[in-house]
Amino acid sequence: MIFKQVAEIVGESNCLTEALQSYAVDGIVPKLVVFPENVEQVSALMKLADQERLAVVPRGSGTKMSLGNIPRQVDVVLVLKKLNKILEYEPDDLTATVEAGILLTDLQRCLKEKNQFFPLDPPFSSEATLGGIVATNSNGPGRLFHGSVRDLVVGIRVVHPGGVITRAGGKVVKNVSGYDMNKLYTGSLGTLGIITELSLKLRPLPEVSKTLLLRFSSLSEAARLVLQISTSELLATSLEILDSGAWEIMSRADPSINPGQGVAAPGVTFAARLEGLSENVERQIIQIREWGQQRGTTGAEVLVGDLHDKFWEKIQNHPQTFSVDASNTIRCKASLPASKVEDFFQTVKKIGHSQNLDPVMFSHAGSGIVYIYFGLEAVPTGVDRMSIFSYIIREIRNLSLQFEGSLVIEAAPTELKKKVDVWGPVGDSLKIMKLLKEQFDPHGILNPGRFIEGI
Amino acid sequence: MDKKSLIDELAQIVGVENVFHEPEDLITYQYDAYLSRAMPDFVVFPTTTEQVSKILKVASREKVPFVARGAGTGISGGAIPVKGGIVVALSRMNKILEIDFESRRARVQPGVINLDLSHAMKDKGFHYIPDPASQQSCTIGGNVAENAGGPHCLAYGVTTNHVLGLTVVLPNGEIIHTGGKALDYPGYDLTGLLVGSEGTLGIVTEIIVRIEHRPEAVKTLLASFSSMLDAAKTVSAIIASGTIPAALEMMDKPAIEAVEAFAHAGYPVEAAAVLLIELEGLKDGMDRLAKKIVEICQSHKAIEVKVAQNEQERMQLWKGRKCAAGAIGRICNKYYLHDCVVPRNKLVAVLSEIYQIAEKYQVQVANVFHAGDGNLHPLVPMDMSDRDQVERALRAGDEILKCCIQAGGTLSGEHGIGLEKNELMPLIFNEADLTAMKKVKAVFNPEDLCNPGKIFPTPGRCLEVTQRPR
Amino acid sequence: MPIEDLLKNVGVDFQEDSVHEEIMKCVGCGLCLPYCPTYREVGTEMASPRGRIALAKEYFDGKLKITPRFAEHLYLCLECLACETACPSGVKFHRIMEPAREAIKKNLERPLWDRMVRDMVFKHIFPYPKRLQLLAGFLRLYQVSGLQWLVRKTGLLRSISESLEETEQMLPPIQPKALRDALKEVTPPLGGRKQYRVGFLSGCVMNLVFTPINLATVRVLARNGCEVITPRFQKCCGALHLHNGETDIARQMARYNIDIFEKLQLDALLVNSAGCGSALKEYGELLKDDSRYAQKASAFSQKVKDISEFLVEIGFVKPQGAIYRKVAYDDPCHLIHGQGIKFQPREILKSIPGLELVELKESDWCCGSAGIYNITHPELSMRLLDRKMAHVKATGADLLATANPGCILQLRWGAKRAGLKMDVVHVVELLDQAYSKELE
């Protein structure tokens, strides 16, 4: 019955009713997967879903389906990959308007022809769609210099439950007309509406881009160096710290990123991405190297060209780089004031060690973002793994809160999600958030239960 | 509740010396920097979040409208109490609460003056980036309400890109905290939603902002052109060349003439337009970059390109830009300062249309604006002794706005909608778009006591609407 | 806002008189606010230049009657004119404030006591040089006789009013008559030939309290080739009257002074008191509706020069004598804002060998003296003074220079309050000292 109505909207060839296991969210298999081709179809589907109280899970390439709590219900997975056009590209205005299902990589390829790019480098660089990136507020190491999703989206088109289509923002880079609804939808995990179109701010490609790697025997010196740079006049695009585990995985997977073996384990690796005019890239490399030497660096490498690209692709795609077996990995993201990264790193390590675990950690340290990877396999079978991990996560979360930050579990087995809230506490603004959800999705059909506090 | 008891109750919260209600007091709270005015019934000066909360609790209980006010430098009427009630003046909440250099964050009260914050960090080489033209006067709280811009927002973003956390008193008096010193807190980005909400969703009592190290080197250039078109083309060429200057400002002939008459900034009077271009960053490569910009200007028929050789010359080049509005104010007794944005590749077309509109209405127009991000500020002089001229000036302004919107632009780039442009909102947003915004308002401010009469068109008022093609 | 509503709202109500002309120049941008010391201290719009203009406009538009509260708001103004320097639209704030205060004066019954004090000072003393001298004589007697000591010890004045006590303590020692008489009516140029013939306005307070500064000024001028004429029977410039709504008395005194100096055929008329200079430069404006004096007054005003302005203009002789001290310079409001003179006093200080000039934060802020503001608003005046002294202390200077008698008195008192052991002097005194050291 529902299938028939849906098929009438999108055509039978755009509906899947069988073999839907791969579209399951936390093990909950949908009844139907639809592939609308345009915004009108999305609108019709949303009208139907609202009438029929169908739980809708919007989806792009599905790279971040692990994010969120276990859904209460999954009826229809709405895949937006067929909305994949570039609607407008104005190189002279450095703006573009695209459909939400376009792959980031496809957009970048097109922009590159004009020597421009969309300055966002989130994980899953070859599969992620723009809509998914915005809905999950997915960012990368370049946010230190270029900003994050919220800074780069200037306009948005959204289909709400009931099928109403709205626009917010515009196509120009500066706009204070009305509420900044772009911000509301960014990172809302599709719980307020389905993003179908985005207007974006672009940037010219830098003249030169290079990497400086430095090795330190202690985390402290690497972390201090990051702060020294970020509070100076230098203008690094990214400032990263990798613990020895992270570096080992990276260099084992591709030994070429350590060409002179200048950065050999053990120890902590510092990485800076430096971009812009050749003169200032060279100057920054010299300056940071010197500061590194003053801090007792034990080795250095400069990566250029392909090696540079490869290195940052691995960092950008850290979930793929560091989770050898995705279904058996817990990935946590802590966001902290930048000055707390060092303390946090050390304390998390201690918490892990107390349970005989050694998490892989790396950090967009200039931005105060720390990723922690736990392999499930590290805990021997026969032990209650979930109890151990839920304990660890509680501890790390308390630490993050104590440092005025937050901890989100970006990926974890469903069993663990049953024990811990992946988002953590929201604070005294929760009531407002719940009311917003009620206003925009009164019947709670969008991604029910996946977002914060049951939203 | 009668007025007397309300005064007593407010006085109990903030102290009797912080409540004003005599006509001689209220007269000075009728206005901000917009043309319109309206009389409040009370002005109160809280000093803490708790006091603001108590004030709003009283107001919402008694159904008295209220509006927050910083320095009153807004130009869209955001601080004008159109429905009367209480003006919650935040000028005494002006403390810098914390500066965390390592995390590059500062926590301030809303009444802190924008430039004071930068001055407080000068010794450490830091600053707060957004620099609205009124930065010497305007407060961070006001900047947050209006999502203020400024010349240097081209490269670094506007207020919203620099605000990470807020303490907000909701219209019912509840206190909430959004965001914080770190990034990416779970939940909806209420901070982003509140910035630019023009004080209609609550009163912000604490703000966490980004602070940054000052650039090592600054290079300022002034290029003059014999045609406005050449200047506008140069803007597009610079943007397209792969360089984003820190600031890219433009002034047209009437503006140059006004500036030269009063400020003697050394702009060539024979020029039809000047571009003020500022490059910032590391000193290495700066000269080459400047040379490249000079070449772009020259290849677009610049008649002269000056490069400031020292800080004094740099200030001299900026002087004309900074005093432009004031200088035009000296020619006429009032002017209407507009604010609209167009895509940067439409600058040329829109500017020539603006001149045609001015001619049609027989008014003057001077343009002084942030060319780099397409943010136009046409200034239309008004002669207050001539009602007919004033009307023509206002009608011309309206048509200029509509022309920008037709070109794919928007109603306001940095001044806000307020009560200036609320009736024009249907030009860019349809009923559904506005309904989505109203849902947000319904959540925060269900009784419409918090800064009523702003942003949204008055219900029932008919406006001939020709929406731009979407 | 729809055009129809806006037209109603903005009120196209332009009135053709000089006050309205000035008022209409204000576009209400609010850029003056942070430069206004009272706004900064009090934080209310009523205490800001824009608020005062709004209030004045309501009155001049006939929409508001003058009430004590209205007067209170307008009298909180220091008239430091910092707002004029800040105003991008060039509003001459004092041209709104002075008529407004004049209107207050005419329309408002002040409390009797307040009126008596003001009347005594403005109507019966300042206009009459003889009476002022007589008063000075009494004051000097009071100071040297031991009575002052007695009064201070017993706290007699505090029992009447704390502010009166504070005011009494600020009283400078009045100079003995003999010293005052040392100021000759004609002083020839020193050494070489006469290059300029200049008049010197010795000032009322200046001449009584700061006789040494006047003598220093004349010596410095003579050293720079000037023949200096100091007419004995000149009157007070009228600045205080102007600021306090006594415009008619101010006009009388202006006419008198114009008559005195006009016939002297001077190249320039020099003033070493910033407040007086500012008022003298405004005579043209003050008497512009006086058919007999308008032209004379404007010619007079054009000749008026502040001492530092004049010295820099003529390329003063660079002193050779050294003063080994660290000096901070505080801009008198009526020099920097009233006359736009900022770099000249600094240039003079910098020319003195050995003297180190250090930057003083908020040097362009009012010290709280502001004519008789420290008498009428002692509390706010002291807040401003303490703020000033905190900045002075931070400079580490052991010498504070300025260029106005009111400021010198106030700052000396400030140094005492802050426990700072520093001299407060006039810029010209330092130049004079440096010249005199050449002889050593």
Side-chain angles (χ1 to χ4, degrees):
Chain A
M1 158 68 181
I2 292 299
F3 171 76
K4 211 179 136 205
Q5 283 171 282
V6 170
E8 265 171 33
I9 296 168
V10 296
E12 272 188 39
S13 60
N14 284 330
C15 298
L16 285 183
T17 49
E18 285 166 21
L20 303 182
Q21 197 58 41
S22 61
Y23 291 93
V25 185
D26 285 318
I28 305 177
V29 182
K31 300 188 180 86
L32 196 63
V33 177
V34 288
F35 296 79
E37 292 175 331
N38 53 49
V39 67
E40 290 74 24
Q41 290 182 358
V42 177
S43 165
L45 288 169
M46 289 301 284
K47 190 172 177 187
L48 178 69
D50 202 37
Q51 276 167 5
E52 303 298 328
R53 309 286 192 266
L54 299 172
V56 176
V57 173
R59 175 182 162 124
S61 296
T63 57
K64 290 171 281 279
M65 297 312 287
S66 60
L67 182 62
N69 287 321
I70 303 167
R72 279 195 292 273
Q73 191 184 335
V74 179
D75 296 320
V76 180
V77 170
L78 204 148
V79 183
L80 289 135
K81 287 194 76 168
K82 291 195 171 176
L83 276 79
N84 60 359
K85 286 187 282 300
I86 295 178
L87 299 172
E88 276 175 44
Y89 172 31
E90 302 283 356
D92 290 352
D93 190 37
L94 283 167
T95 57
T97 299
V98 300
E99 287 185 323
I102 191 173
L103 298 185
L104 175 65
T105 180
D106 289 345
L107 174 65
Q108 300 289 33
R109 197 176 313 120
C110 165
L111 302 177
K112 202 175 175 185
E113 286 170 23
K114 298 278 182 191
N115 214 26
Q116 297 181 349
F117 75 123
F118 178 53
L120 210 60
D121 51 358
F124 311 103
S125 60
S126 55
E127 301 130 77
T129 62
L130 257 302
I133 290 166
V134 173
T136 57
N137 184 26
S138 181
N139 296 288
R143 69 188 298 168
L144 177 63
F145 184 79
H146 294 293
S148 59
V149 176
R150 76 196 291 278
D151 303 307
L152 299 165
V153 171
V154 298
I156 206 162
R157 197 174 187 195
V158 175
V159 179
H160 300 276
V164 174
I165 306 171
T166 67
R167 279 178 194 277
K171 288 171 184 169
V172 288
V173 297
K174 211 169 167 191
N175 193 347
V176 295
S177 311
Y179 297 147
D180 191 352
M181 304 292 281
N182 297 325
K183 303 282 189 293
L184 181 59
Y185 303 128
T186 298
S188 66
L189 200 72
T191 55
L192 302 173
I194 293 176
I195 300 170
T196 61
E197 202 178 298
L198 292 157
S199 296
L200 311 169
K201 248 166 129 165
L202 311 175
R203 278 188 86 95
L205 279 167
E207 186 179 279
V208 178
S209 188
K210 290 188 180 182
T211 308
L212 173 65
L213 299 177
L214 294 174
R215 173 52 65 116
F216 291 94
S217 52
S218 86
L219 170 76
S220 178
E221 290 302 331
R224 294 275 112 196
L225 178 59
V226 166
L227 292 180
Q228 184 177 8
I229 298 165
S230 64
T231 57
S232 77
E233 67 280 6
L234 299 191
L235 299 161
T237 304
S238 315
L239 293 171
E240 308 291 299
I241 292 176
L242 291 86
D243 74 356
S244 57
W247 178 253
E248 212 184 303
I249 294 170
M250 275 185 71
S251 56
R252 207 182 326 122
D254 188 352
S256 71
I257 58 168
N258 192 10
Q261 293 296 308
V263 185
V268 173
T269 306
F270 157 94
R273 183 183 177 110
L274 303 159
E275 293 178 323
L277 300 175
S278 57
E279 295 92 329
N280 75 46
V281 169
E282 293 312 320
R283 180 265 178 107
Q284 295 197 75
I285 288 176
I286 293 168
Q287 176 86 71
I288 297 173
R289 227 176 159 143
E290 200 182 303
W291 286 347
Q293 271 155 8
Q294 286 162 5
R295 294 181 178 280
T297 178
T298 56
E301 287 282 354
V302 174
L303 305 182
V304 298
D306 274 357
L307 291 185
H308 164 86
D309 294 343
K310 259 197 226 170
F311 176 84
W312 289 102
E313 195 208 300
K314 286 206 154 25
I315 292 281
Q316 174 175 2
N317 293 322
H318 59 89
Q320 289 148 308
T321 308
F322 297 134
S323 11
V324 183
D325 172 6
S327 60
N328 273 324
T329 304
I330 300 167
R331 180 171 89 236
C332 302
K333 173 187 157 194
S335 308
L336 310 157
S339 61
K340 303 289 191 212
V341 168
E342 180 190 342
D343 262 13
F344 182 79
F345 236 90
Q346 312 272 32
T347 316
V348 169
K349 285 277 178 187
K350 266 186 221 151
I351 294 169
H353 293 162
S354 76
Q355 302 299 313
N356 296 316
L357 293 172
D358 189 19
V360 167
M361 291 177 73
F362 95 102
S363 170
H364 304 322
S367 306
I369 308 284
V370 182
Y371 285 96
I372 309 151
Y373 284 85
F374 288 101
L376 249 54
E377 305 299 334
V379 178
T381 42
V383 180
D384 184 356
R385 284 175 173 169
M386 294 311 134
S387 295
I388 291 179
F389 284 116
S390 58
Y391 162 78
I392 289 178
I393 284 165
R394 265 198 308 277
E395 290 293 300
I396 301 178
R397 178 162 285 153
N398 286 341
L399 184 67
S400 314
L401 295 172
Q402 189 193 316
F403 284 156
E404 297 180 68
S406 66
L407 184 83
V408 173
I409 303 162
E410 290 194 336
T414 309
E415 292 161 81
L416 183 63
K417 290 189 182 180
K418 286 177 183 160
K419 291 199 157 220
V420 287
D421 178 3
V422 306
W423 302 102
V426 176
D428 50 18
S429 59
L430 176 63
K431 197 171 126 193
I432 288 285
M433 293 188 191
K434 286 193 158 166
L435 288 170
L436 284 166
K437 171 71 176 176
E438 268 171 40
Q439 281 283 345
F440 284 87
D441 182 14
H443 304 128
I445 64 161
L446 279 168
N447 259 340
R450 285 182 73 197
F451 203 46
I452 52 150
E453 308 268 358
I455 286 178
Chain B
M1 195 182 228
D2 60 34
K3 192 168 172 176
K4 174 77 179 58
S5 339
L6 200 51
I7 291 168
D8 289 347
E9 198 167 350
L10 291 171
Q12 266 170 25
I13 298 168
V14 294
V16 68
E17 69 284 4
N18 290 317
V19 182
F20 295 85
H21 51 83
E22 304 283 349
E24 297 91 332
D25 309 324
L26 301 177
I27 278 169
T28 65
Y29 283 89
Q30 300 180 83
Y31 55 78
D32 56 14
Y34 181 55
L35 290 172
S36 185
R37 48 186 54 204
M39 193 77 104
D41 298 302
F42 316 91
V43 183
V44 291
F45 289 83
T47 48
T48 64
T49 300
E50 288 64 35
Q51 286 183 354
V52 174
S53 162
K54 283 179 185 162
I55 294 164
L56 300 204
K57 277 181 182 152
V58 171
S60 66
R61 187 193 70 213
E62 298 300 324
K63 308 271 179 275
V64 178
F66 54 88
V67 48
R69 178 185 175 100
T73 55
I75 16 199
S76 56
I80 297 175
V82 282
K83 300 263 158 74
I86 305 170
V87 169
V88 183
L90 300 166
S91 54
R92 288 179 186 169
M93 284 182 80
N94 59 355
K95 305 224 166 23
I96 296 171
L97 302 168
E98 182 192 356
I99 300 181
D100 177 349
F101 289 103
E102 284 203 328
S103 300
R104 307 193 312 283
R105 303 287 185 264
R107 203 156 54 86
V108 302
Q109 287 189 320
V112 169
I113 292 174
N114 176 303
L115 198 56
D116 283 3
L117 179 56
S118 286
H119 281 161
M121 303 183 280
K122 215 174 169 180
D123 293 350
K124 295 258 188 176
F126 272 66
H127 64 161
Y128 170 67
I129 291 177
D131 57 343
S134 57
Q135 71 175 147
Q136 49 188 313
S137 279
C138 64
T139 61
I140 304 278
N143 294 170
V144 167
E146 302 295 330
N147 190 11
H152 289 83
C153 291
L154 171 58
Y156 307 106
V158 294
T159 301
T160 191
N161 307 110
H162 298 266
V163 173
L164 297 170
L166 300 170
T167 300
V168 187
V169 180
L170 299 177
N172 64 8
E174 262 177 58
I175 299 166
I176 65 164
H177 300 78
T178 73
K181 281 168 84 173
L183 305 168
D184 300 349
Y185 288 90
Y188 300 128
D189 181 2
L190 299 184
T191 309
L193 189 60
L194 283 154
V195 175
S197 61
E198 304 192 17
T200 62
L201 301 182
I203 295 183
V204 169
T205 56
E206 231 175 84
I207 303 145
I208 296 171
V209 297
R210 287 178 198 273
I211 55 172
E212 301 287 346
H213 198 282
R214 284 173 190 270
E216 177 184 51
V218 183
K219 195 118 215 159
T220 307
L221 299 90
L222 184 86
S224 27
F225 298 85
S226 56
S227 104
M228 189 72 192
L229 242 61
D230 288 337
K233 280 181 190 160
T234 308
V235 171
S236 298
I238 291 172
I239 297 291
S241 78
T243 308
I244 297 187
L248 179 45
E249 304 281 303
M250 184 149 136
M251 286 168 63
D252 68 358
K253 196 171 181 64
I256 298 166
E257 280 170 359
V259 160
E260 276 313 302
F262 292 98
H264 314 295
Y267 292 5
V269 225
E270 69 279 8
V274 295
L275 286 182
L276 188 63
I277 307 157
E278 189 149 283
L279 305 169
E280 280 186 358
L282 295 172
K283 58 181 191 303
D284 315 76
M286 186 65 92
D287 287 334
R288 179 163 66 90
L289 190 61
K291 212 173 135 214
K292 183 171 150 195
I293 300 284
V294 171
E295 278 162 15
I296 294 174
C297 293
Q298 280 163 349
S299 68
H300 286 82
K301 299 185 230 159
I303 46 178
E304 192 193 4
V305 187
K306 277 191 214 168
V307 183
Q309 298 303 325
N310 52 43
E311 181 61 18
Q312 202 186 339
E313 284 183 33
R314 188 178 94 81
M315 295 316 289
Q316 183 70 23
L317 292 185
W318 270 103
K319 187 179 170 191
R321 170 63 184 92
K322 293 211 161 153
C323 72
I328 292 161
R330 291 180 192 221
I331 306 177
C332 48
N333 51 52
K334 281 264 187 300
Y335 55 78
Y336 202 118
L337 173 58
H338 293 277
D339 168 41
C340 42
V341 191
V342 297
R344 290 167 281 196
N345 50 350
K346 301 280 172 57
L347 269 180
V348 176
V350 169
L351 281 169
S352 42
E353 205 167 326
I354 288 176
Y355 293 126
Q356 282 168 22
I357 293 167
E359 202 168 313
K360 175 176 153 195
Y361 287 95
Q362 293 172 304
V363 293
Q364 285 178 295
V365 61
N367 285 287
V368 183
F369 60 99
H370 314 303
D373 36 32
N375 191 181
L376 298 172
H377 288 311
L379 279 125
V380 185
M382 296 196 296
D383 178 356
M384 302 311 278
S385 61
D386 180 351
R387 196 194 144 94
D388 176 59
Q389 195 276 345
V390 171
E391 189 171 342
R392 277 184 285 118
L394 294 175
R395 293 210 185 281
D398 244 27
E399 203 166 317
I400 288 170
L401 268 178
K402 284 174 187 161
C403 139
C404 292
I405 289 161
Q406 280 300 321
T410 193
L411 273 178
S412 175
E414 54 186 13
H415 294 177
I417 299 300
L419 56 90
E420 181 193 8
K421 293 175 179 167
N422 55 339
E423 305 297 352
L424 301 177
M425 283 286 270
L427 291 175
I428 52 168
F429 293 119
N430 67 22
E431 199 50 49
D433 304 340
L434 289 172
T435 303
M437 292 184 196
K438 282 179 190 163
K439 284 180 177 175
V440 170
K441 183 166 164 176
V443 165
F444 285 87
N445 181 15
E447 299 191 86
D448 199 15
L449 293 172
C450 185
N451 206 4
K454 310 292 167 70
I455 302 182
F456 296 98
T458 321
R461 194 189 273 277
C462 284
L463 184 78
E464 30 166 330
V465 175
T466 30
Q467 281 204 1
R468 69 152 182 247
R470 287 156 64 96
Chain C
M1 188 164 232
I3 289 169
E4 289 67 31
D5 294 2
L6 205 52
L7 278 171
K8 265 179 255 159
N9 222 313
V10 295
V12 184
D13 53 1
F14 196 74
Q15 292 182 36
E16 300 274 349
D17 62 60
S18 61
V19 180
H20 274 92
E21 200 180 304
E22 211 58 49
I23 287 174
M24 292 309 287
K25 279 190 201 160
C26 173
V27 295
C29 65
L31 294 190
C32 51
L33 266 55
Y35 297 94
C36 174
T38 56
Y39 175 75
R40 271 284 170 117
E41 282 295 324
V42 180
T44 66
E45 186 76 18
M46 300 77 91
S48 79
R50 180 174 61 176
R52 289 168 184 139
I53 292 174
L55 281 164
K57 181 175 189 301
E58 290 292 300
Y59 165 73
F60 287 113
D61 284 353
K63 292 177 190 157
L64 185 71
K65 284 209 163 56
I66 286 176
T67 61
R69 197 157 180 85
F70 175 88
E72 196 185 305
H73 289 331
L74 291 199
Y75 268 96
L76 195 74
C77 175
L78 296 151
E79 276 213 78
C80 70
L81 308 185
C83 52
E84 291 192 6
T85 303
C87 180
S89 303
V91 175
K92 292 274 173 242
F93 177 79
H94 70 280
R95 293 187 185 169
I96 300 167
M97 183 51 88
E98 279 161 13
R101 286 192 175 178
E102 189 181 1
I104 293 171
K105 188 80 203 161
K106 284 183 179 147
N107 288 290
L108 193 66
E109 286 291 311
R110 286 171 184 284
L112 192 65
W113 182 86
D114 185 24
R115 208 170 64 221
M116 268 170 51
V117 172
R118 278 174 188 272
D119 279 0
M120 177 155 128
V121 176
F122 293 122
K123 284 203 179 127
H124 307 300
I125 300 178
F126 276 82
Y128 305 97
K130 286 244 172 72
R131 290 189 201 168
L132 203 53
Q133 278 169 29
L134 195 67
L135 179 70
F138 278 127
L139 281 173
R140 177 150 177 80
L141 189 67
Y142 166 75
Q143 283 169 345
V144 298
S145 66
L147 189 62
Q148 182 175 39
W149 176 85
L150 193 68
V151 169
R152 285 186 186 172
K153 266 286 184 248
T154 57
L156 183 68
L157 288 173
R158 195 180 317 140
S159 63
I160 304 170
S161 143
E162 266 193 52
S163 73
L164 197 57
E165 185 188 57
E166 193 111 323
T167 308
E168 191 277 340
Q169 290 190 17
M170 284 176 67
L171 268 183
I174 302 292
Q175 300 296 332
K177 187 162 183 307
L179 187 59
R180 298 204 306 262
D181 287 345
L183 194 61
K184 297 279 176 298
E185 222 167 344
V186 178
T187 310
L190 195 69
R193 65 189 177 85
K194 174 173 94 178
Q195 287 170 290
Y196 308 94
R197 178 178 156 88
V198 301
F200 176 51
L201 188 107
S202 52
C204 36
V205 177
M206 214 57 189
N207 201 30
L208 293 175
V209 182
F210 294 115
T211 323
I213 298 178
N214 275 353
L215 293 172
T217 304
V218 171
R219 279 196 298 272
V220 163
L221 285 169
R223 175 78 165 78
N224 281 282
C226 297
E227 179 189 31
V228 189
I229 318 291
T230 313
R232 184 138 296 172
F233 296 107
Q234 49 180 293
K235 276 193 180 177
C236 164
C237 65
L240 290 179
H241 305 80
L242 219 47
H243 300 161
N244 291 284
E246 303 283 359
T247 318
D248 287 335
I249 302 177
R251 286 201 184 97
Q252 279 170 31
M253 294 191 318
R255 286 187 204 101
Y256 180 89
N257 282 331
I258 290 169
D259 290 340
I260 292 266
F261 283 100
E262 194 189 23
K263 50 192 174 212
L264 297 174
Q265 303 283 317
L266 303 166
D267 295 320
L269 174 55
L270 298 180
V271 198
N272 61 8
S273 146
C276 304
S278 195
L280 295 169
K281 285 181 179 178
E282 280 280 312
Y283 275 8
E285 177 68 23
L286 181 67
L287 295 172
K288 72 175 188 301
D289 297 326
D290 181 330
S291 56
R292 227 157 51 81
Y293 274 86
Q295 217 174 353
K296 283 198 244 182
S298 114
F300 176 93
S301 286
Q302 274 164 27
K303 278 200 179 157
V304 177
K305 294 250 152 56
D306 180 74
I307 177 76
S308 65
E309 182 185 18
F310 178 76
L311 286 172
V312 170
E313 210 172 278
I314 63 166
F316 68 101
V317 179
K318 303 288 173 290
Q320 301 303 313
I323 300 174
Y324 295 102
R325 295 183 77 171
K326 198 168 172 183
V327 68
Y329 174 70
D330 189 47
D331 290 285
C333 298
H334 282 84
L335 205 55
I336 185 162
H337 305 303
Q339 302 177 56
I341 294 172
K342 184 177 177 183
F343 79 95
Q344 294 92 329
R346 290 177 171 83
E347 199 159 315
I348 291 173
L349 293 172
K350 279 191 230 158
S351 77
I352 299 173
L355 193 64
E356 184 196 349
L357 177 64
V358 289
E359 199 195 328
L360 170 63
K361 194 178 165 194
E362 292 181 355
S363 68
D364 56 352
W365 267 55
C366 180
C367 61
S369 164
I372 55 163
Y373 197 85
N374 47 9
I375 303 173
T376 56
H377 295 81
E379 196 259 340
L380 193 52
S381 169
M382 286 305 128
R383 258 158 70 186
L384 291 169
L385 180 58
D386 292 344
R387 182 178 175 130
K388 173 73 70 189
M389 295 323 291
H391 293 323
V392 170
K393 194 171 176 187
T395 64
D398 56 0
L399 200 55
L400 181 58
T402 187
N404 188 52
C407 305
I408 295 175
L409 286 181
Q410 176 91 346
L411 293 171
R412 280 186 185 161
W413 176 237
K416 204 167 160 191
R417 269 172 75 95
L420 295 174
K421 287 205 170 22
M422 68 189 328
D423 295 322
V424 183
V425 296
H426 194 292
V427 171
V428 81
E429 284 183 286
L430 290 175
L431 183 59
D432 177 55
Q433 227 180 82
Y435 283 143
S436 70
K437 288 201 171 170
E438 291 172 351
L439 307 171
E440 284 167 15

